[in-house]
């Protein structure tokens, strides 16, 4: 019997009472021995009873503990043998030494003496990778496995129902979608009411049929907007179907000789309805910023997926919007003490031309302005332009390095970013963090990465170039700036390079901008001089073109030689050259760069959206002009990956 139990039974109070009784009885015996003798006799009798009670307590407690131990052991045996929990003991070599009856019934074959792989080929790998607890599928059931590695013991808990409930919850989560008719106002402007009503009826019928088939709640909230409420299961089915709704609407409206397209913004994830609505609106803005005719799905964790985007963006710009933006920029410039203009890394003609245009806007509003240029990171195609600028003392004085830009910046400085909207592509990302007001002017389709908290964003993917946008802004400046020959020529060079001499992505506004620049003194002969190339570069480009072959559906692929590096301009020129060949509708040129990366330059005539393909390879650009750079890969691996993405594009067209 443990001493702590016995001490707890009789306690010190019993010993104290017995001691007090003996003392008082001894005193009583001193005065009257007869009474004292009777007292000692009584104490002896009580002591005997206490002793017997203690012995009986020890006996009863021993019996109770023995019975309880037996029942606990019995219950343990019953639990091991009958509870619906699988148990497996294994040794250091992963050999099964013992399984309980539940596990034996679960496994049809003999397992004792076999390796753990006999249960599942994935079990040893999961034990090593997942650690203490993981899920394992056996047949049509799922088990939560607890690995007690110290005891070399596995517990199998049937989690089939739990996982089914979890999957049901995931499938039933609410998703909100906003549907927008991209160019409804533009295509119906001036259209007869009867024809407009007929067109809208066709679109509405397609949407209603789509919502009925996919079990989606759809309501029209304005003439060109709809709201859709569905669940994650429906969203999964729509993604599996690659949102063929976009093609259906495009085909139906094409029958009416109208190019009407849809853009859909979807918000999904563990969010409140209010947050889902905000995500859906943000997704719709992203889809529209990328040119429309596509679906953008944004989750609460910030990840975005894109579908569609195959058709060429229709021009939606208006001169009213250009005038409003121009006046807004003038106000921001006047409120600033100076203006810093920055383009993208490895700037091209469009980037430098647009920067010069924004410099002129700042100067005409009597503000100091500077253009950020990293002399160690300059596109080879702009060397002649920079040489001409260096000979122009007044203009060259406004070009500064990123280090000098940091010194020039104050709390009242305005930053203007041209020809890009991605922070990672800016010449110096740190400059963005040092200013409170940023204006973004770009003609690329909006990507997932974007400069945050810009006070003004002027993004028009329908424009041929950023130089075209800036030229229009110059036209609408109230002070009517006068450009000198080099400034006007730099802007015109940006337009000519990006449109391949007005061959692609050229609208009526492009010619209007070129006409304005010509009236300001732009020299087309100087443009040709600035765009001249060396004979060596021409030969290298011809060697690249020589290696081209037709892969599928009119897509031409050219791969450079191993250990032979090419600059990005030459790669892009080779892709442009391939596009002029018979039966080629899209071209891709793959080669190594000087920094060890593999570059892919993509071009198309508009039938194939090369931006979608390049986005799948972590790149981007325009429908007809895109590129990407891959690190840690070989030319052969890049070629295989490109073919895979081209095949995927023709199957469905998911763009990210």
């Amino acid at each position: 019997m443990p001493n702590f139990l016995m001490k707890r039974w009789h306690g010190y109070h019993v010993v104290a009472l017995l001691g007090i009784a003996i003392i008082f009885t001894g005193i009583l015996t001193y005065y009257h021995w007869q009474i004292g003798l009777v007292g000692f006799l009584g104490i002896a009798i009580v002591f005997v009873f206490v002793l017997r009670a203690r012995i009986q307590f020890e006996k009863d407690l021993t019996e109770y503990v023995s019975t309880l131990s037996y029942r606990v052991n019995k219950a343990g045996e019953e639990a091991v043998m009958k509870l619906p929990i699988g148990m497996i003991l294994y040794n250091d070599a992963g050999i099964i030494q013992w399984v309980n009856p539940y596990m034996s019934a679960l496994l049809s074959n003999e397992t004792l003496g076999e390796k753990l792989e006999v249960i599942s080929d994935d079990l040893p790998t999961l034990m090593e990778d997942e650690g203490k607890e993981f899920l394992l599928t056996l047949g049509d059931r799922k088990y939560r496995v607890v690995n007690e590695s110290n005891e070399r013991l596995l517990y199998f808990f049937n989690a089939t129902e739990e996982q089914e409930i979890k999957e049901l919850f995931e499938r039933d989560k609410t998703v909100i979608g906003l549907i927008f008719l991209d160019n409804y106002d533009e295509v119906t402007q001036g259209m007869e009411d009867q024809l407009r009503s007929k067109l809208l009826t066709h679109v509405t019928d397609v949407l209603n049929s789509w919502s009925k088939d996919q079990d989606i709640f759809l309501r029209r909230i304005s003439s060109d907007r709809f709201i859709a409420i569905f669940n994650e299961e429906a969203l999964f089915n729509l993604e599996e179907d690659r949102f063929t709704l976009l093609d259906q609407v495009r085909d139906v409206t094409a029958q009416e000789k109208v190019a009407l397209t849809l853009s859909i913004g979807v918000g999904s994830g563990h969010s409140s309805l209010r947050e889902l609505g905000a995500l859906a609106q943000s997704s719709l803005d992203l889809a529209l910023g990328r040119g429309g005719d596509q679906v953008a799905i944004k989750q609460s964790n910030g990840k975005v997926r894109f579908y569609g985007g195959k058709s060429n963006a229709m021009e939606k710009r208006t001169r009213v919007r250009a005038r409003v933006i121009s006046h807004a920029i003038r106000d921001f410039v006047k409120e600033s003490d100076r203006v810093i203009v920055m383009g993208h890394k490895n700037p091209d003609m469009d980037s430098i031309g647009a920067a010069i245009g924004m410099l002129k806007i700042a100067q005409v509003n009597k503000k100091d302005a500077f253009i950020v240029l990293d002399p160690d990171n300059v596109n080879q195609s702009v060397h002649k332009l920079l040489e001409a600028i260096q000979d122009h003392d007044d203009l060259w004085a406004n070009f500064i390095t990123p280090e000098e830009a940091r010194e020039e910046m104050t709390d009242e400085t305005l930053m203007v970013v041209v020809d890009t909207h991605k922070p990672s592509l800016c010449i110096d990302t740190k400059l963005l963090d040092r200013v409170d007001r940023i204006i973004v002017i770009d003609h690329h389709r909006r990507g997932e990465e974007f400069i945050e908290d810009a006070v003004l964003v002027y993004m028009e993917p329908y424009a041929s170039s950023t130089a075209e946008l800036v030229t229009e802004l110059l036209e609408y400046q109230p002070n009517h700036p006068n450009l000198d020959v080099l400034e006007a020529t730099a802007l015109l060079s940006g337009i000519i390079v990006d449109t391949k001499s007005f061959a692609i992505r050229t609208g009526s506004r492009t010619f209007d901008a070129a006409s304005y620049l010509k009236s300001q003194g732009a020299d087309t002969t100087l443009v040709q001089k600035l765009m001249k190339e060396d004979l060596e570069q021409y030969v290298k480009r011809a060697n690249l073109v020589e290696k081209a072959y037709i892969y599928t559906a009119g897509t031409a692929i050219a791969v450079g030689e191993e250990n032979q590096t090419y600059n990005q301009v030459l790669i892009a020129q080779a892709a442009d050259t391939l596009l002029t060949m018979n039966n080629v509708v899209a071209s891709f040129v793959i080669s190594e760069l000087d920094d060890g990366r593999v570059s892919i330059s993509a071009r198309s005539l508009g039938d194939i959206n090369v931006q979608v393909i390049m986005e799948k390879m972590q790149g981007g650009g325009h429908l007809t002009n895109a590129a990407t750079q891959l690190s840690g890969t070989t030319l052969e691996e890049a070629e295989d990956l490109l073919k895979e993405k081209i095949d995927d594009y023709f199957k469905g067209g998911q763009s990210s």
Side-chain angles (χ1 to χ4, degrees):
M1 183 63 56
N3 289 331
F4 74 90
L5 282 178
M6 295 311 304
K7 289 178 181 178
R8 187 168 297 173
W9 179 80
H10 57 72
Y12 291 106
H13 61 285
V14 177
V15 177
L17 289 174
L18 186 59
I20 292 171
I22 292 174
I23 292 172
F24 277 99
T25 303
I27 296 172
L28 186 60
T29 303
Y30 178 77
Y31 292 101
H32 201 294
W33 67 269
Q34 292 91 345
I35 297 177
L37 186 61
V38 174
F40 275 113
L41 181 61
I43 290 174
I45 294 172
V46 170
F47 180 75
V48 170
F49 276 105
V50 170
L51 188 61
R52 290 182 62 188
R54 173 177 176 172
I55 294 171
Q56 187 62 40
F57 172 76
E58 290 181 2
K59 181 180 178 182
D60 293 343
L61 186 59
T62 301
E63 290 179 358
Y64 173 77
V65 170
S66 298
T67 303
L68 184 61
S69 298
Y70 172 77
R71 293 182 63 194
V72 169
N73 291 333
K74 190 69 175 176
E77 292 176 5
E78 291 290 324
V80 170
M81 298 300 175
K82 294 185 178 181
L83 275 182
I85 298 174
M87 298 176 66
I88 293 179
L89 282 172
Y90 61 93
N91 61 16
D92 291 335
I95 303 298
I96 299 174
Q97 297 177 308
W98 174 83
V99 296
N100 68 339
Y102 176 81
M103 202 66 194
S104 295
L106 176 66
L107 303 173
S108 58
N109 53 342
E110 182 62 36
T111 57
L112 291 179
E114 300 290 338
K115 288 192 173 183
L116 290 170
E117 285 87 341
V118 73
I119 298 173
S120 172
D121 293 334
D122 299 329
L123 182 56
T125 304
L126 291 171
M127 290 170 60
E128 182 177 350
D129 296 342
E130 301 295 333
K132 185 175 178 61
E133 189 170 330
F134 52 87
L135 280 175
L136 179 68
T137 301
L138 298 177
D140 58 350
R141 295 185 178 183
K142 295 181 179 179
Y143 291 87
R144 188 173 71 256
V145 182
V146 177
N147 180 20
E148 297 291 349
S149 56
N150 293 334
E151 304 297 331
R152 295 191 294 278
L153 175 62
L154 294 174
Y155 293 99
F156 289 75
F157 298 90
N158 192 340
T160 305
E161 185 176 355
E162 172 190 332
Q163 290 301 310
E164 288 176 352
I165 294 173
K166 185 177 180 180
E167 290 172 3
L168 178 62
F169 168 74
E170 292 292 332
R171 292 197 304 267
D172 206 40
K173 286 189 301 185
T174 302
V175 175
I176 293 180
L178 295 176
I179 303 173
F180 181 73
L181 301 181
D182 290 334
N183 45 343
Y184 176 74
D185 291 336
E186 287 79 6
V187 300
T188 59
Q189 188 175 10
M191 187 180 290
E192 294 183 1
D193 291 343
Q194 184 178 0
L195 186 57
R196 183 190 297 112
S197 176
K198 181 180 179 182
L199 178 65
L200 197 56
T201 298
H202 284 319
V203 175
T204 305
D205 288 344
V206 172
L207 288 172
N208 286 335
S209 176
W210 169 77
S211 64
K212 184 177 179 181
D213 294 340
Q214 301 295 337
D215 194 23
I216 294 174
F217 175 80
L218 182 71
R219 281 295 178 269
R220 182 175 173 181
I221 54 180
S222 69
S223 60
D224 55 0
R225 285 179 180 266
F226 297 79
I227 185 171
I229 299 176
F230 45 106
N231 57 25
E232 290 285 351
E233 184 176 13
L235 178 60
F236 175 80
N237 293 333
L238 291 173
E239 291 191 69
E240 285 287 302
D241 193 42
R242 301 299 182 98
F243 281 92
T244 54
L245 172 68
L246 301 177
D247 300 324
Q248 293 173 12
V249 171
R250 197 184 310 114
D251 294 342
V252 166
T253 56
Q255 295 175 5
E256 301 294 331
K257 304 297 186 291
V258 176
L260 192 62
T261 58
L262 288 183
S263 286
I264 304 176
V266 178
S268 70
H270 296 278
S271 302
S272 65
L273 292 177
R274 186 181 183 87
E275 291 172 337
L276 287 175
L279 287 173
Q281 184 60 57
S282 175
S283 300
L284 181 60
D285 293 341
L286 191 56
L288 293 173
R290 290 162 52 85
D293 189 27
Q294 57 192 278
V295 180
I297 303 170
K298 181 177 283 190
Q299 295 178 297
S300 54
N301 59 10
K303 293 184 178 180
V304 185
R305 301 188 299 276
F306 298 103
Y307 293 85
K310 287 186 175 183
S311 66
N312 209 343
M314 293 188 62
E315 183 169 338
K316 297 183 189 176
R317 291 184 296 140
T318 64
R319 292 194 175 275
V320 174
R321 174 168 165 77
R323 177 174 55 81
V324 170
I325 293 293
S326 182
H327 287 197
I329 290 176
R330 177 203 59 183
D331 295 338
F332 278 116
V333 169
K334 286 187 173 182
E335 293 169 1
S336 307
D337 62 349
R338 66 196 63 189
V339 178
I340 303 291
V341 185
M342 178 170 61
H344 54 75
K345 295 176 182 177
N346 200 26
D348 53 13
M349 287 282 197
D350 187 30
S351 179
I352 292 180
I356 291 174
M358 291 307 303
L359 174 74
K360 198 65 179 180
I361 289 178
Q363 290 176 341
V364 79
N365 287 289
K366 297 179 171 54
K367 294 293 180 179
D368 292 334
F370 304 95
I371 297 174
V372 180
L373 182 70
D374 185 356
D376 298 326
N377 183 12
V378 176
N379 197 313
Q380 187 176 358
S381 65
V382 300
H383 281 172
K384 289 185 174 62
L385 174 60
L386 290 179
E387 289 174 0
I389 293 173
Q390 289 174 10
D391 295 335
H392 191 298
D393 295 336
D394 292 339
L395 185 56
W396 180 247
N398 297 298
F399 281 77
I400 59 176
T401 64
E403 292 76 17
E404 292 171 333
R406 295 192 193 102
E407 296 176 0
E408 292 287 343
M409 281 187 169
T410 68
D411 293 338
E412 301 299 322
T413 297
L414 175 68
M415 169 71 73
V416 181
V417 177
V418 295
D419 205 28
T420 185
H421 58 269
K422 298 182 178 181
S424 62
L425 294 183
C426 291
I427 290 177
D428 190 345
T429 305
K430 295 179 181 177
L431 293 178
L432 299 176
D433 301 328
R434 301 188 60 168
V435 292
D436 295 327
R437 295 182 302 169
I438 302 174
I439 293 176
V440 178
I441 302 175
D442 191 17
H443 72 118
H444 294 102
R445 293 172 67 167
R446 179 168 174 168
E448 184 177 345
E449 183 188 3
F450 195 80
I451 295 174
E452 296 181 357
D453 301 324
V455 294
L456 180 63
V457 176
Y458 188 35
M459 284 185 62
E460 296 291 354
Y462 322 101
S464 68
S465 58
T466 310
E468 178 189 331
L469 295 175
V470 173
T471 299
E472 286 191 344
L473 297 178
L474 279 166
E475 289 185 72
Y476 289 110
Q477 281 295 303
N479 295 330
H480 300 293
N482 292 318
L483 303 174
D484 66 23
V485 173
L486 184 57
E487 291 169 341
T489 302
L491 280 162
L492 183 59
S493 298
I495 296 176
I496 289 176
V497 169
D498 271 26
T499 60
K500 303 297 179 290
S501 298
F502 302 100
I504 59 174
R505 292 201 313 276
T506 305
S508 60
R509 303 275 288 277
T510 309
F511 290 105
D512 290 342
S515 175
Y516 170 78
L517 292 173
K518 185 64 177 175
S519 69
Q520 289 288 314
D523 187 348
T524 53
T525 303
L526 179 57
V527 172
Q528 295 302 316
K529 290 180 180 179
L530 296 177
M531 294 173 58
K532 278 190 174 183
E533 61 179 322
D534 298 331
L535 180 61
E536 181 184 355
Q537 291 292 102
Y538 182 87
V539 172
K540 290 183 71 174
R541 185 173 75 243
N543 290 336
L544 264 179
V545 173
E546 184 183 14
K547 301 178 185 302
Y549 62 92
I550 302 297
Y551 173 60
T552 182
T555 57
I557 299 176
V559 184
E561 296 180 2
E562 291 284 350
N563 302 320
Q564 175 69 47
T565 61
Y566 302 84
N567 63 61
Q568 288 180 318
V569 175
L570 190 144
I571 300 170
Q573 290 173 341
D576 290 330
T577 303
L578 281 174
L579 208 56
T580 63
M581 304 300 170
N582 286 331
N583 303 320
V584 175
V585 295
S587 61
F588 301 87
V589 178
I590 309 170
S591 73
E592 291 184 12
L593 299 175
D594 294 334
D595 57 9
R597 293 181 299 167
V598 172
S599 177
I600 303 178
S601 188
R603 298 290 186 270
S604 85
L605 295 175
D607 296 329
I608 295 177
N609 189 338
V610 292
Q611 183 217 11
V612 169
I613 299 173
M614 290 296 98
E615 277 188 335
K616 296 177 185 178
M617 303 177 70
Q618 310 305 314
H622 281 279
L623 181 144
T624 58
N625 184 338
T628 188
Q629 288 82 42
L630 305 174
S631 300
T633 186
T634 64
L635 291 175
E636 184 178 355
E637 291 171 344
E639 183 181 4
D640 292 340
L641 180 61
L642 174 62
K643 291 178 179 178
E644 177 186 330
K645 299 308 179 184
I646 292 174
D647 293 340
D648 186 49
Y649 172 84
F650 285 112
K651 288 178 183 176
Q654 184 181 3
S655 64
S656 178

